Amino acid sequence: MYLKYNMKRLLDIVLSFFGILITSPLIAIFAIWIKVSSKGPILFKQNRVGINNKTFHILKFRTMRIDTPCDTPTHLLQDPNQYITGVGRFLRKSSLDELPQLWNILIGDMSIIGPRPALWNQDDLIKERDKYGANNILPGLTGWAQINGRDELPIKIKAKLDGEYVKKISFAMDAKCFFLTIKSVMKSEGIKEGKAS
């Protein structure tokens, strides 16, 4: 019923719309802060894999210098700290760099809850998710895998958790993911910057 009658999509539209309205003062402050503190655009756009493996441009506040290697997940950089800006450090730690994705949700590229969209070149993750049908739904701002390890998870486990979400999609599951995400963000759990030594 939740999916059949598009209740999930309706919730995405309503919550993202009001989310943008409520956070617009913060968005403006961060935009100015980013612009005056380092060279480059305010927003960072990147090709990500969306529903049915179709790519889209995900939006984030730019948290890194413009000379950062392209299309490399931050946790795979040898020394990401050399690229992260001052404001970027704060935005990443608080996950507020993801705020612009409310627009991605509003226009239908993403959902509030779903598998985090893979980079276009993360073939191993995309292939694993295909096994579970996790590429056949809208990717999310947060999801079941995000609250169960985030960057720390091996690809096979991450894909398996995304598959579990696909099987259990419901309002109750989405609500659980939503509130556990708030708890996880407050504790900065599962964030990994750079390769393990």
Side-chain angles (χ1 to χ4, degrees):
M1 183 175 178
Y2 185 56
L3 289 178
K4 183 178 179 181
Y5 296 103
N6 290 319
M7 292 173 63
K8 181 175 173 67
R9 178 63 190 140
L10 180 61
L11 273 175
D12 284 339
I13 293 170
V14 172
L15 292 176
S16 60
F17 176 76
F18 283 104
I20 290 169
L21 284 182
I22 292 167
T23 62
S24 57
L26 269 182
I27 290 171
I29 290 169
F30 293 148
I32 294 168
W33 192 2
I34 292 165
K35 197 64 182 174
V36 300
S37 64
S38 63
K39 293 180 180 179
I42 293 167
L43 294 178
F44 171 70
K45 298 179 183 180
Q46 190 176 55
N47 274 337
R48 294 291 183 105
V49 178
I51 188 170
N52 299 322
N53 290 335
K54 294 180 180 177
T55 58
F56 71 98
H57 284 108
I58 198 171
L59 300 176
K60 292 186 178 189
F61 281 126
R62 181 177 58 81
T63 61
M64 307 187 87
R65 300 196 326 242
I66 56 175
D67 61 342
T68 304
C70 294
D71 296 322
T72 301
T74 310
H75 66 279
L76 294 181
L77 292 172
Q78 289 290 347
D79 182 16
N81 288 320
Q82 67 175 307
Y83 299 110
I84 299 173
T85 64
V87 59
R89 202 171 311 282
F90 167 74
L91 291 173
R92 295 171 77 89
K93 187 174 178 63
S94 61
S95 294
L96 289 169
D97 60 318
E98 313 281 0
L99 267 180
Q101 285 161 51
L102 290 171
W103 177 253
N104 285 121
I105 295 167
L106 185 63
I107 65 175
D109 289 332
M110 294 175 62
S111 178
I112 291 173
I113 310 295
R116 279 297 293 169
L119 278 164
W120 63 272
N121 59 0
Q122 287 182 292
D123 296 328
D124 46 359
L125 177 57
I126 296 165
K127 186 177 179 180
E128 280 296 314
R129 282 178 170 170
D130 276 335
K131 296 177 183 178
Y132 301 101
N135 292 321
N136 299 330
I137 61 172
L138 283 173
L141 181 64
T142 185
W144 188 234
Q146 290 298 103
I147 58 175
N148 282 285
R150 204 168 174 177
D151 294 334
E152 297 173 343
L153 292 173
I155 283 171
K156 288 191 175 183
I157 294 176
K158 185 181 291 186
K160 186 176 181 181
L161 286 167
D162 290 332
E164 286 179 16
Y165 173 75
V166 172
K167 289 181 180 179
K168 298 177 181 178
I169 292 178
S170 64
F171 176 76
M173 183 63 166
D174 279 5
K176 183 177 183 179
C177 289
F178 182 83
F179 289 110
L180 286 177
T181 294
I182 294 174
K183 179 183 175 183
S184 179
V185 168
M186 294 289 287
K187 294 183 176 181
S188 297
E189 293 176 343
I191 299 174
K192 181 180 178 184
E193 303 282 28
K195 290 182 179 180
S197 57

